[in-house]
């Protein structure tokens, strides 16, 4: 059996082959130039459905609006009729790709971008901008020395000397992402925290830094003060200089043979995680009417008020117990130079 359906075939499929040839002859009408009306081309291709098969179904032609709007563009939309399938799709693809490349991650589907999202997408590192007006005023030359002393409990000259002494321990280098916080600002954060005991949230607002950043700076400067300055500044007088200290005490207060004045104070602390009973302060609890905890700080000062020794114990101990546990109490008791 042969499947030849050509024009000269004698097979039963020959009539259908002839119809197919007729349809193929009408195909060029769909892609003709503008001199042919598109509606006529469609009407030439439309074949009525056999009534004997679909007798109950009405045969409706394709609306002209559908033909013009969705399949065949008008004469002014791209030249020839057949150009809409290639050139129109190419233009749409180019427009879509260009719009997607220009859209920021924060833009909506309609092409409307939110300004904060666009700014966030353009920045590699997000750093919150904070106001440093308060600190800039105190650190500036226009700030009076009296105002600076009131804020940090020291003169501007002493503050500069302190910063120079701690520079090697607290200074940080600039990175490719951000500029390092200056040494003067780092030391000022720690001094303000020590002088006022202000919450870190308020310290952060004053100096224009993050809360965690202020906490880290305070710990770093604490460590630098204990390791760098304490061995140099808080020293017990040597035998050669002890006589000079005693002479100054006698000249100032009329007391001979004194090289230091001892005083013990209590510093409130939060509830410790371990050994809670050792830090329970009975006297502070009675005054505040609630459970309080502290550390006992015993200091020795010379005639000028400079510390020559610092000793710290848990707050549950009395002043006499702290003095008895002092590292120098045995030495001073043996030489008869202990004073209270």
């Amino acid at each position: 059996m042969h499947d030849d359906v050509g024009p000269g075939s004698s097979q039963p499929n020959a009539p259908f082959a002839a119809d197919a040839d007729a349809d193929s002859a009408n195909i060029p009408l769909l892609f003709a130039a503008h001199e042919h009306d598109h509606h006529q081309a469609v009407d030439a291709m439309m074949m009525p459905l056999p009534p004997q098969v679909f007798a109950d179904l009405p045969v409706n032609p394709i609306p002209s609006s559908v033909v013009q709007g969705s399949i065949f563009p008008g004469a002014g939309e791209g030249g020839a009729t057949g150009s809409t399938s290639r050139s129109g799709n190419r233009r749409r693809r180019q427009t879509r790709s260009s719009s997607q490349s220009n859209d920021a991650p924060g833009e909506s589907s309609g092409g409307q971008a939110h300004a904060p999202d666009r700014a966030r997408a353009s920045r590699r590192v997000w750093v919150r901008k904070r106001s440093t007006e308060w600190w800039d005023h105190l650190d500036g030359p226009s700030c009076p020395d009296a105002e600076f002393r009131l804020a940090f409990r020291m003169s501007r000259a002493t503050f500069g000397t302190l910063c120079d002494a701690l520079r090697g321990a607290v200074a940080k280098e600039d990175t490719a992402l951000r500029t390092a916080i200056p040494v003067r600002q780092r030391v000022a954060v720690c001094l303000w925290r020590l002088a006022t005991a202000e919450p870190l949230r308020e310290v952060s607002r004053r100096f224009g830094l993050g809360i965690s950043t202020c906490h880290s700076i305070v710990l770093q400067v604490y460590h630098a003060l204990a390791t760098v300055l304490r061995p140099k500044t808080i020293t017990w007088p040597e035998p050669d200089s002890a006589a000079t200290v005693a002479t100054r005490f006698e000249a100032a207060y009329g007391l001979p043979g004194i090289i230091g004045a001892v005083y013990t104070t209590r510093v409130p602390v939060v509830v410790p995680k371990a050994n809670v009973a050792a830090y329970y302060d009975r006297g502070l609890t009675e005054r505040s009417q609630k459970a309080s905890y502290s550390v006992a700080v015993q200091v020795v000062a010379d005639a000028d008020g400079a510390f020559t020794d610092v000793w710290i114990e848990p707050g549950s101990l009395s002043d006499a117990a702290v003095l008895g546990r002092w590292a120098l109490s045995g030495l001073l008791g043996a030489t008869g130079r202990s004073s209270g």
Side-chain angles (χ1 to χ4, degrees), residues 38-167:
H38 306 302
H39 301 290
Q40 294 179 359
V42 174
D43 294 339
M45 286 296 298
M46 291 298 297
M47 297 175 59
L49 298 176
Q52 64 275 16
V53 178
F54 305 100
D56 298 331
L57 297 178
V59 180
N60 297 325
I62 300 177
S64 59
S65 60
V66 175
V67 175
Q68 290 181 352
S70 60
I71 300 179
F72 303 101
E77 298 179 5
T81 305
S83 62
T84 186
S85 60
R86 295 184 180 180
S87 61
N89 292 336
R90 188 181 300 110
R91 287 195 300 270
R92 283 193 291 271
R93 287 195 298 269
Q94 293 175 354
T95 303
R96 188 182 303 111
S97 62
S98 62
S99 62
Q100 291 177 356
S101 63
N102 293 331
D103 287 345
E107 292 185 359
S108 60
S109 59
Q112 297 178 353
H114 301 287
D117 296 339
R118 183 180 294 276
R120 187 181 300 112
S122 63
R123 298 185 64 172
R124 296 181 59 187
V125 178
W126 178 262
V127 179
R128 179 182 176 183
K129 293 183 178 180
R130 303 174 186 267
S131 174
T132 59
E133 182 179 358
W134 182 83
W135 163 244
D136 293 339
H137 168 68
L138 289 176
D139 193 38
S142 61
C143 178
D145 189 71
E147 183 178 355
F148 189 92
R149 181 186 293 272
L150 183 63
F152 296 104
R153 311 294 178 88
M154 64 179 62
S155 65
R156 192 185 300 272
T158 304
F159 179 78
T161 303
L162 181 62
C163 293
D164 294 338
L166 298 178
R167 186 176 303 277

Side-chain angles (χ1 to χ4, degrees), residues 1-5 9 11-13:
M1 180 176 181
H2 299 282
D3 294 335
D4 187 11
V5 292
S9 175
Q11 299 299 327
N13 293 331

Side-chain angles (χ1 to χ4, degrees), residues 164-296:
D164 294 338
L166 298 178
R167 186 176 303 277
V170 302
K172 302 297 181 179
E173 296 182 356
D174 297 342
T175 64
L177 300 180
R178 65 188 66 189
T179 304
I181 301 173
V183 174
R184 293 179 62 87
Q185 189 173 4
R186 289 177 176 273
V187 176
V189 168
C190 182
L191 292 181
W192 181 263
R193 173 75 168 166
L194 291 174
T196 64
E198 197 173 49
L200 286 174
R201 185 179 300 276
E202 296 299 324
V203 178
S204 168
R205 181 184 60 82
R206 289 182 181 274
F207 289 90
L209 301 173
I211 297 177
S212 60
T213 302
C214 290
H215 178 68
S216 177
I217 289 175
V218 169
L219 295 181
Q220 291 173 7
V221 179
Y222 276 168
H223 182 72
L225 289 172
T227 58
V228 177
L229 287 186
R230 180 177 178 179
K232 298 179 181 179
T233 57
I234 304 178
T235 58
W236 189 256
E238 298 292 337
D240 297 339
S241 59
T244 304
V245 175
T247 302
R248 299 181 64 176
F249 256 110
E250 184 176 2
Y253 304 102
L255 300 174
I258 304 298
I259 63 173
V262 182
Y263 181 77
T264 303
T265 186
R266 309 287 167 159
V267 179
V269 296
V270 297
V271 181
K273 296 182 179 179
N275 201 9
V276 178
Y279 293 89
Y280 179 76
D281 193 328
R282 295 182 179 88
L284 188 59
T285 300
E286 292 176 358
R287 290 193 297 268
S288 62
Q289 297 298 317
K290 64 179 181 180
S292 302
Y293 305 85
S294 67
V295 293

